[in-house]
Amino acid sequence: MNILLLGGGGREHALAWKLAQSPRCDKLWASPGNPGIAEHAEVVALDLADHAAVTAFCGEHGVDLVVIGPEAPLVDGLADSLRAAGVAVFGPSAAAARLEGSKGFTKALCERAGIPTARFVQCRTLDEAQPALAGFAPPYVLKADGLAAGKGVVIAESRAEAERALVDMFGGQFGEAGSEVVIEEFLTGEEASLFVLTDGKAIVPLGSAQDHKRVGDGDTGPNTGGMGAYSPAPVLTPALTEEALRRIVEPTVRTMREEGMPYSGILYAGLMLTDSGPQLIEYNARFGDPECQVLMMRLESDLAEVMLACAQGRLAEVPAPVMSDDVALTVVVAARGYPGTPVAGGGIELRGAEADGVRVFQAGTRSEGGRLVASGGRVLNVTALGASVGEAHRRAYVALDGIDFADGFCRRDIGAREIRREQGSA
Ligand code: AMP
Ligand code: GLY
Protein backbone atom coordinates (compact mmCIF):
# COMPACT_ATOMS: atom_id res chain seq x y z
CA MET A 1 0.00 0.00 0.00
CA ASN A 2 0.97 3.65 -0.46
CA ILE A 3 1.05 5.69 2.73
CA LEU A 4 1.21 9.44 3.36
CA LEU A 5 2.46 10.40 6.83
CA LEU A 6 1.74 13.94 8.00
CA GLY A 7 3.96 15.72 10.51
CA GLY A 8 7.64 16.45 10.93
CA GLY A 9 8.75 15.78 14.50
CA GLY A 10 10.31 12.97 16.50
CA ARG A 11 6.94 11.25 16.79
CA GLU A 12 6.64 11.13 13.01
CA HIS A 13 10.26 9.99 12.60
CA ALA A 14 9.45 7.00 14.82
CA LEU A 15 6.23 6.32 12.87
CA ALA A 16 8.07 6.61 9.52
CA TRP A 17 10.80 4.22 10.71
CA LYS A 18 8.18 1.68 11.76
CA LEU A 19 5.87 2.09 8.75
CA ALA A 20 8.81 1.71 6.35
CA GLN A 21 9.57 -1.70 7.91
CA SER A 22 6.13 -3.02 6.96
CA PRO A 23 6.13 -5.57 4.15
CA ARG A 24 2.77 -4.04 3.17
CA CYS A 25 4.25 -0.57 2.65
CA ASP A 26 5.11 -0.07 -1.03
CA LYS A 27 5.68 3.66 -0.93
CA LEU A 28 5.87 6.10 1.98
CA TRP A 29 5.54 9.86 1.55
CA ALA A 30 5.86 12.35 4.39
CA SER A 31 5.02 16.02 4.76
CA PRO A 32 6.57 18.26 5.98
CA GLY A 33 8.98 15.54 7.19
CA ASN A 34 12.52 16.21 8.39
CA PRO A 35 15.98 14.82 7.48
CA GLY A 36 15.48 11.78 9.73
CA ILE A 37 12.10 11.01 8.19
CA ALA A 38 13.65 11.46 4.73
CA GLU A 39 15.74 8.34 5.37
CA HIS A 40 12.51 6.30 5.29
CA ALA A 41 10.11 8.34 3.15
CA GLU A 42 9.95 10.67 0.19
CA VAL A 43 9.38 14.11 1.64
CA VAL A 44 6.84 16.27 -0.17
CA ALA A 45 5.75 19.87 0.44
CA LEU A 46 2.04 20.06 1.29
CA ASP A 47 0.09 22.73 3.13
CA LEU A 48 -1.79 20.68 5.73
CA ALA A 49 -4.32 23.49 6.15
CA ASP A 50 -5.20 23.16 2.45
CA HIS A 51 -7.42 20.07 2.62
CA ALA A 52 -8.12 20.13 -1.13
CA ALA A 53 -4.38 20.03 -1.90
CA VAL A 54 -3.77 17.08 0.46
CA THR A 55 -6.78 15.23 -0.99
CA ALA A 56 -5.58 15.92 -4.56
CA PHE A 57 -2.11 14.57 -3.71
CA CYS A 58 -3.71 11.35 -2.46
CA GLY A 59 -5.74 10.99 -5.65
CA GLU A 60 -2.78 11.63 -7.93
CA HIS A 61 -0.44 9.26 -6.11
CA GLY A 62 -2.84 6.45 -5.26
CA VAL A 63 -2.44 6.92 -1.50
CA ASP A 64 -4.21 4.10 0.36
CA LEU A 65 -3.71 5.40 3.89
CA VAL A 66 -3.02 8.80 5.43
CA VAL A 67 -1.51 8.82 8.93
CA ILE A 68 -1.99 12.14 10.73
CA GLY A 69 0.63 12.66 13.47
CA PRO A 70 -0.08 16.01 15.17
CA GLU A 71 -3.28 17.29 16.79
CA ALA A 72 -3.77 20.57 14.91
CA PRO A 73 -4.81 19.04 11.53
CA LEU A 74 -7.09 16.59 13.38
CA VAL A 75 -8.89 19.32 15.29
CA ASP A 76 -9.03 21.22 11.97
CA GLY A 77 -10.95 18.36 10.32
CA LEU A 78 -8.35 17.10 7.84
CA ALA A 79 -9.42 13.49 8.52
CA ASP A 80 -13.04 14.41 7.66
CA SER A 81 -12.02 16.03 4.37
CA LEU A 82 -9.93 13.02 3.36
CA ARG A 83 -12.63 10.51 4.35
CA ALA A 84 -15.23 12.49 2.39
CA ALA A 85 -12.98 11.94 -0.64
CA GLY A 86 -12.80 8.20 0.06
CA VAL A 87 -9.25 8.13 1.48
CA ALA A 88 -8.60 5.87 4.50
CA VAL A 89 -7.23 7.88 7.43
CA PHE A 90 -5.57 6.93 10.70
CA GLY A 91 -6.78 9.65 13.06
CA PRO A 92 -10.08 10.93 14.43
CA SER A 93 -12.64 13.28 12.91
CA ALA A 94 -12.81 16.89 14.10
CA ALA A 95 -15.86 16.02 16.21
CA ALA A 96 -14.00 13.16 17.92
CA ALA A 97 -10.72 15.11 18.25
CA ARG A 98 -12.58 17.45 20.61
CA LEU A 99 -11.53 14.91 23.25
CA GLU A 100 -8.19 16.70 22.98
CA GLY A 101 -9.28 20.04 21.51
CA SER A 102 -11.81 20.97 24.17
CA LYS A 103 -11.34 20.28 27.86
CA GLY A 104 -14.94 21.37 28.50
CA PHE A 105 -16.19 18.81 25.96
CA THR A 106 -14.22 16.01 27.62
CA LYS A 107 -15.27 16.96 31.14
CA ALA A 108 -18.93 17.07 30.08
CA LEU A 109 -18.55 13.65 28.44
CA CYS A 110 -17.02 12.26 31.64
CA GLU A 111 -20.02 13.57 33.54
CA ARG A 112 -22.53 11.99 31.12
CA ALA A 113 -20.71 8.64 31.06
CA GLY A 114 -19.77 8.48 34.77
CA ILE A 115 -16.02 8.48 34.06
CA PRO A 116 -13.77 9.20 37.07
CA THR A 117 -12.13 12.61 36.68
CA ALA A 118 -11.46 15.66 38.86
CA ARG A 119 -14.56 17.58 39.92
CA PHE A 120 -14.84 20.70 37.76
CA VAL A 121 -16.78 23.79 36.72
CA GLN A 122 -16.67 25.32 33.26
CA CYS A 123 -16.67 29.12 33.11
CA ARG A 124 -17.33 31.39 30.15
CA THR A 125 -16.55 34.73 31.74
CA LEU A 126 -14.21 36.15 34.36
CA ASP A 127 -17.23 37.20 36.44
CA GLU A 128 -18.39 33.61 36.50
CA ALA A 129 -14.92 32.17 37.19
CA GLN A 130 -13.72 34.35 40.12
CA PRO A 131 -16.52 33.34 42.53
CA ALA A 132 -16.34 29.71 41.32
CA LEU A 133 -12.88 29.44 42.93
CA ALA A 134 -14.66 29.40 46.29
CA GLY A 135 -15.87 25.89 45.51
CA PHE A 136 -12.28 24.58 45.41
CA ALA A 137 -9.30 24.41 47.74
CA PRO A 138 -5.70 25.28 46.81
CA PRO A 139 -3.80 24.35 44.76
CA TYR A 140 -6.23 25.53 42.05
CA VAL A 141 -6.10 23.85 38.65
CA LEU A 142 -7.11 26.22 35.81
CA LYS A 143 -7.29 25.11 32.19
CA ALA A 144 -7.83 27.17 29.05
CA ASP A 145 -10.42 25.30 27.01
CA GLY A 146 -8.81 24.82 23.59
CA LEU A 147 -5.49 23.64 22.18
CA ALA A 148 -2.68 25.62 23.76
CA ALA A 149 0.32 23.46 22.84
CA GLY A 150 0.45 21.89 26.30
CA LYS A 151 0.76 25.28 27.97
CA GLY A 152 -2.87 26.01 28.80
CA VAL A 153 -2.80 24.65 32.35
CA VAL A 154 -2.04 26.79 35.41
CA ILE A 155 -1.67 25.31 38.88
CA ALA A 156 -2.02 28.18 41.33
CA GLU A 157 -0.94 27.75 44.94
CA SER A 158 -3.09 30.56 46.37
CA ARG A 159 -6.45 32.17 45.73
CA ALA A 160 -4.74 35.45 44.76
CA GLU A 161 -2.51 33.68 42.26
CA ALA A 162 -5.52 31.86 40.80
CA GLU A 163 -7.45 35.12 40.45
CA ARG A 164 -4.52 36.73 38.59
CA ALA A 165 -4.21 33.69 36.33
CA LEU A 166 -7.92 33.87 35.47
CA VAL A 167 -7.53 37.55 34.52
CA ASP A 168 -4.66 36.58 32.18
CA MET A 169 -6.54 33.64 30.69
CA PHE A 170 -9.72 35.57 29.94
CA GLY A 171 -7.49 38.47 28.84
CA GLY A 172 -6.22 36.43 25.90
CA GLN A 173 -2.96 34.93 27.20
CA PHE A 174 -3.74 31.68 25.39
CA GLY A 175 -5.59 33.32 22.49
CA GLU A 176 -8.87 31.68 21.52
CA ALA A 177 -8.13 28.77 23.87
CA GLY A 178 -8.80 31.08 26.81
CA SER A 179 -12.34 32.03 25.88
CA GLU A 180 -13.54 29.30 28.25
CA VAL A 181 -11.77 28.09 31.36
CA VAL A 182 -12.24 24.89 33.33
CA ILE A 183 -11.50 25.05 37.07
CA GLU A 184 -10.92 21.65 38.64
CA GLU A 185 -10.03 19.87 41.81
CA PHE A 186 -6.31 19.07 42.29
CA LEU A 187 -5.65 15.34 42.14
CA THR A 188 -2.77 13.66 43.97
CA GLY A 189 -0.99 10.57 42.80
CA GLU A 190 1.43 9.43 40.15
CA GLU A 191 0.76 10.20 36.49
CA ALA A 192 0.91 7.60 33.74
CA SER A 193 -0.23 7.45 30.15
CA LEU A 194 -2.23 4.65 28.56
CA PHE A 195 -2.42 4.27 24.77
CA VAL A 196 -5.18 2.40 22.97
CA LEU A 197 -6.02 1.86 19.33
CA THR A 198 -9.69 2.01 18.49
CA ASP A 199 -11.81 2.06 15.35
CA GLY A 200 -14.80 3.28 17.32
CA LYS A 201 -15.83 -0.24 18.34
CA ALA A 202 -12.85 -2.48 19.13
CA ILE A 203 -10.31 -1.28 21.71
CA VAL A 204 -6.76 -2.60 21.65
CA PRO A 205 -4.21 -1.48 24.27
CA LEU A 206 -0.85 -0.40 22.84
CA GLY A 207 1.14 0.05 26.01
CA SER A 208 1.82 2.62 28.67
CA ALA A 209 4.45 5.28 29.28
CA GLN A 210 5.57 7.94 31.69
CA ASP A 211 7.05 11.21 30.53
CA HIS A 212 9.06 13.98 32.17
CA LYS A 213 7.36 17.31 31.57
CA ARG A 214 9.63 19.74 33.44
CA VAL A 215 12.73 21.04 31.72
CA GLY A 216 15.21 20.44 34.56
CA ASP A 217 16.62 17.49 36.49
CA GLY A 218 14.61 16.55 39.56
CA ASP A 219 11.40 17.87 37.89
CA THR A 220 12.38 21.52 38.20
CA GLY A 221 11.80 24.51 35.94
CA PRO A 222 9.01 25.22 33.46
CA ASN A 223 6.82 22.65 31.72
CA THR A 224 7.79 21.46 28.25
CA GLY A 225 6.27 19.19 25.63
CA GLY A 226 8.24 16.38 27.32
CA MET A 227 11.97 15.89 27.98
CA GLY A 228 11.99 12.11 27.97
CA ALA A 229 9.83 9.05 28.47
CA TYR A 230 9.92 5.34 29.08
CA SER A 231 7.59 2.46 28.36
CA PRO A 232 6.06 0.48 29.92
CA ALA A 233 5.09 2.40 33.07
CA PRO A 234 5.22 -0.27 35.82
CA VAL A 235 3.00 1.87 38.10
CA LEU A 236 0.20 1.15 35.67
CA THR A 237 -0.10 -2.47 36.77
CA PRO A 238 -2.23 -4.96 34.83
CA ALA A 239 -5.01 -4.49 37.44
CA LEU A 240 -4.92 -0.69 37.16
CA THR A 241 -4.79 -0.94 33.35
CA GLU A 242 -7.87 -3.15 33.38
CA GLU A 243 -9.64 -0.68 35.69
CA ALA A 244 -8.69 2.30 33.50
CA LEU A 245 -9.92 0.49 30.37
CA ARG A 246 -13.20 -0.51 32.01
CA ARG A 247 -14.02 2.72 33.84
CA ILE A 248 -12.44 5.34 31.54
CA VAL A 249 -11.57 4.22 28.00
CA GLU A 250 -14.46 1.85 27.24
CA PRO A 251 -17.23 4.24 28.36
CA THR A 252 -15.54 7.00 26.36
CA VAL A 253 -15.38 4.99 23.14
CA ARG A 254 -18.93 3.69 23.63
CA THR A 255 -20.41 7.12 24.39
CA MET A 256 -18.63 8.72 21.43
CA ARG A 257 -20.03 6.01 19.14
CA GLU A 258 -23.55 6.15 20.58
CA GLU A 259 -23.62 9.92 20.25
CA GLY A 260 -22.68 9.77 16.57
CA MET A 261 -19.02 10.85 16.73
CA PRO A 262 -17.11 7.55 16.74
CA TYR A 263 -13.46 7.92 17.71
CA SER A 264 -10.96 6.29 15.37
CA GLY A 265 -7.18 6.30 15.76
CA ILE A 266 -4.92 6.31 18.78
CA LEU A 267 -6.45 7.50 22.04
CA TYR A 268 -3.92 8.69 24.60
CA ALA A 269 -5.31 8.80 28.14
CA GLY A 270 -3.39 10.89 30.66
CA LEU A 271 -4.21 9.30 34.03
CA MET A 272 -3.68 10.18 37.66
CA LEU A 273 -3.32 7.06 39.77
CA THR A 274 -5.04 8.24 42.93
CA ASP A 275 -5.78 6.37 46.16
CA SER A 276 -9.30 5.79 44.84
CA GLY A 277 -8.11 4.42 41.47
CA PRO A 278 -7.19 5.88 38.06
CA GLN A 279 -8.80 9.20 37.14
CA LEU A 280 -8.72 10.86 33.75
CA ILE A 281 -6.60 14.04 33.58
CA GLU A 282 -6.88 14.55 29.86
CA TYR A 283 -7.17 12.85 26.51
CA ASN A 284 -4.99 13.40 23.49
CA ALA A 285 -6.20 12.47 20.02
CA ARG A 286 -2.75 11.43 18.77
CA PHE A 287 0.41 9.66 19.86
CA GLY A 288 2.39 11.47 22.55
CA ASP A 289 5.70 13.03 21.61
CA PRO A 290 8.13 11.59 22.81
CA GLU A 291 5.94 8.71 24.11
CA CYS A 292 5.40 7.48 20.54
CA GLN A 293 9.14 6.95 20.15
CA VAL A 294 9.29 4.49 23.05
CA LEU A 295 6.11 2.70 21.96
CA MET A 296 7.45 2.25 18.41
CA MET A 297 10.72 0.84 19.76
CA ARG A 298 8.73 -1.83 21.60
CA LEU A 299 6.18 -2.59 18.88
CA GLU A 300 6.92 -5.92 17.22
CA SER A 301 3.87 -6.03 14.93
CA ASP A 302 3.25 -4.53 11.53
CA LEU A 303 2.22 -0.90 12.19
CA ALA A 304 0.88 -0.33 8.66
CA GLU A 305 -1.46 -3.33 8.92
CA VAL A 306 -2.93 -2.29 12.25
CA MET A 307 -3.28 1.37 11.24
CA LEU A 308 -5.08 0.44 8.01
CA ALA A 309 -7.39 -1.93 9.91
CA CYS A 310 -8.14 0.86 12.37
CA ALA A 311 -8.86 3.30 9.54
CA GLN A 312 -11.18 0.79 7.83
CA GLY A 313 -13.10 -0.24 10.97
CA ARG A 314 -11.61 -3.76 10.92
CA LEU A 315 -9.51 -3.56 14.06
CA ALA A 316 -11.16 -6.63 15.62
CA GLU A 317 -10.18 -8.71 12.57
CA VAL A 318 -6.39 -8.27 12.75
CA PRO A 319 -4.04 -9.78 15.34
CA ALA A 320 -3.61 -7.55 18.39
CA PRO A 321 -0.28 -5.69 18.29
CA VAL A 322 2.54 -7.33 20.21
CA MET A 323 4.84 -5.21 22.36
CA SER A 324 8.30 -6.38 23.36
CA ASP A 325 8.84 -7.15 27.05
CA ASP A 326 11.86 -4.87 26.89
CA VAL A 327 11.78 -1.38 28.31
CA ALA A 328 12.31 1.53 25.91
CA LEU A 329 13.58 4.87 27.17
CA THR A 330 14.07 8.10 25.25
CA VAL A 331 16.00 11.21 26.19
CA VAL A 332 15.13 14.48 24.48
CA VAL A 333 18.05 16.67 23.45
CA ALA A 334 16.75 20.23 23.21
CA ALA A 335 18.34 23.41 21.90
CA ARG A 336 19.56 25.88 24.52
CA GLY A 337 16.76 28.30 25.41
CA TYR A 338 13.93 25.73 25.19
CA PRO A 339 11.09 25.91 26.32
CA GLY A 340 11.62 29.64 25.71
CA THR A 341 13.19 30.71 22.42
CA PRO A 342 15.62 27.96 21.35
CA VAL A 343 18.94 28.69 19.65
CA ALA A 344 18.47 27.71 15.99
CA GLY A 345 21.05 26.50 13.51
CA GLY A 346 23.44 24.66 15.82
CA GLY A 347 25.41 21.94 14.01
CA ILE A 348 24.78 18.29 14.91
CA GLU A 349 27.09 15.30 14.33
CA LEU A 350 25.36 12.03 15.10
CA ARG A 351 28.66 10.13 14.64
CA GLY A 352 27.23 6.63 14.52
CA ALA A 353 25.35 6.90 17.82
CA GLU A 354 22.90 4.26 16.61
CA ALA A 355 23.46 0.60 17.40
CA ASP A 356 21.33 -2.50 17.78
CA GLY A 357 18.42 -1.41 19.99
CA VAL A 358 19.44 2.27 19.91
CA ARG A 359 17.79 4.81 17.59
CA VAL A 360 18.21 8.55 17.31
CA PHE A 361 14.89 10.05 16.20
CA GLN A 362 15.07 13.54 14.78
CA ALA A 363 12.53 16.05 16.08
CA GLY A 364 13.68 19.57 15.22
CA THR A 365 16.35 19.24 12.56
CA ARG A 366 16.96 20.36 9.02
CA SER A 367 19.62 19.82 6.47
CA GLU A 368 21.76 22.83 5.52
CA GLY A 369 24.33 22.33 2.80
CA GLY A 370 24.52 18.62 3.57
CA ARG A 371 24.98 19.31 7.28
CA LEU A 372 22.44 18.50 10.00
CA VAL A 373 21.42 21.55 12.06
CA ALA A 374 18.92 22.27 14.82
CA SER A 375 15.64 23.91 13.79
CA GLY A 376 13.38 23.57 16.80
CA GLY A 377 13.13 23.38 20.57
CA ARG A 378 13.26 19.63 20.95
CA VAL A 379 15.91 18.47 18.47
CA LEU A 380 16.78 14.78 18.98
CA ASN A 381 15.26 11.82 20.82
CA VAL A 382 17.94 9.32 21.77
CA THR A 383 16.07 6.09 22.34
CA ALA A 384 17.26 2.71 23.63
CA LEU A 385 15.85 -0.68 24.54
CA GLY A 386 16.97 -2.59 27.63
CA ALA A 387 15.92 -5.40 29.93
CA SER A 388 15.18 -2.81 32.64
CA VAL A 389 14.70 0.95 32.86
CA GLY A 390 18.22 1.10 34.29
CA GLU A 391 19.72 -0.69 31.30
CA ALA A 392 17.75 1.31 28.72
CA HIS A 393 18.80 4.50 30.57
CA ARG A 394 22.51 3.55 30.46
CA ARG A 395 22.38 2.64 26.79
CA ALA A 396 20.53 5.83 25.81
CA TYR A 397 23.01 8.08 27.65
CA VAL A 398 26.04 6.25 26.22
CA ALA A 399 24.64 6.91 22.72
CA LEU A 400 23.74 10.48 23.60
CA ASP A 401 27.21 11.26 24.91
CA GLY A 402 28.65 10.21 21.53
CA ILE A 403 26.66 12.90 19.72
CA ASP A 404 28.22 16.27 19.02
CA PHE A 405 25.67 19.08 19.43
CA ALA A 406 27.25 22.02 21.24
CA ASP A 407 23.98 23.98 21.48
CA GLY A 408 22.06 21.08 22.96
CA PHE A 409 21.13 20.11 26.50
CA CYS A 410 19.18 17.27 28.08
CA ARG A 411 17.95 16.03 31.42
CA ARG A 412 20.30 13.45 32.93
CA ASP A 413 17.64 11.78 35.08
CA ILE A 414 15.13 10.29 32.64
CA GLY A 415 13.68 7.20 34.32
CA ALA A 416 15.46 7.92 37.62
CA ARG A 417 12.40 7.42 39.83
CA GLU A 418 11.75 4.03 38.21
CA ILE A 419 15.42 3.06 38.48
CA ARG A 420 15.30 3.77 42.23
CA ARG A 421 12.25 1.51 42.44
CA GLU A 422 14.06 -1.19 40.43
CA GLN A 423 17.05 -0.96 42.79
CA GLY A 424 14.76 -1.02 45.82
CA SER A 425 13.14 -4.24 44.71
CA ALA A 426 16.38 -5.85 43.50
P1 AMP B 1 -3.10 18.65 30.95
O1 AMP B 1 -2.71 19.60 29.86
O2 AMP B 1 -4.56 18.59 31.24
O3 AMP B 1 -2.46 17.29 30.76
O4 AMP B 1 -2.37 19.14 32.26
C1 AMP B 1 -0.98 19.31 32.28
C2 AMP B 1 -0.45 18.79 33.58
O5 AMP B 1 -1.04 19.48 34.67
C3 AMP B 1 -0.77 17.34 33.83
O6 AMP B 1 0.13 16.48 33.22
C4 AMP B 1 -0.70 17.27 35.33
O7 AMP B 1 0.66 17.17 35.76
C5 AMP B 1 -1.22 18.59 35.76
N1 AMP B 1 -2.65 18.49 36.06
C6 AMP B 1 -3.67 18.67 35.22
N2 AMP B 1 -4.85 18.50 35.83
C7 AMP B 1 -4.57 18.20 37.11
C8 AMP B 1 -5.37 17.93 38.27
N3 AMP B 1 -6.69 17.95 38.23
N4 AMP B 1 -4.73 17.65 39.42
C9 AMP B 1 -3.38 17.65 39.49
N5 AMP B 1 -2.58 17.92 38.45
C10 AMP B 1 -3.15 18.20 37.26
N1 GLY C 1 4.54 14.36 25.74
C1 GLY C 1 3.23 14.83 25.96
C2 GLY C 1 2.40 14.98 24.77
O1 GLY C 1 2.72 14.57 23.67
O2 GLY C 1 1.32 15.54 24.90
Side-chain angles (χ1 to χ4, degrees), residues 11 100 211 213 224-226 268 282 284 286-291 378:
R11 166 179 51 209
E100 169 160 5
D211 77 348
K213 284 191 204 289
T224 69
Y268 159 177
E282 61 156 358
N284 291 306
R286 48 165 177 91
F287 280 103
D289 189 347
E291 290 90 335
R378 295 186 294 171

Side-chain angles (χ1 to χ4, degrees), residues 5-85:
L5 170 65
L6 302 178
R11 166 179 51 209
E12 288 79 22
H13 186 182
L15 293 174
W17 169 69
K18 204 68 207 170
L19 286 170
Q21 287 170 38
S22 166
R24 289 177 175 76
C25 179
D26 297 307
K27 174 79 191 178
L28 179 62
W29 285 278
S31 186
N34 69 33
I37 293 170
E39 289 170 20
H40 312 288
E42 182 178 334
V43 169
V44 288
L46 287 171
D47 174 1
L48 305 193
D50 185 347
H51 296 188
V54 180
T55 306
F57 179 92
C58 294
E60 283 156 25
H61 295 84
V63 170
D64 301 295
L65 174 67
V66 177
V67 176
I68 303 179
E71 61 275 22
L74 293 167
V75 170
D76 185 39
L78 181 56
D80 304 78
S81 302
L82 287 162
R83 285 194 184 107

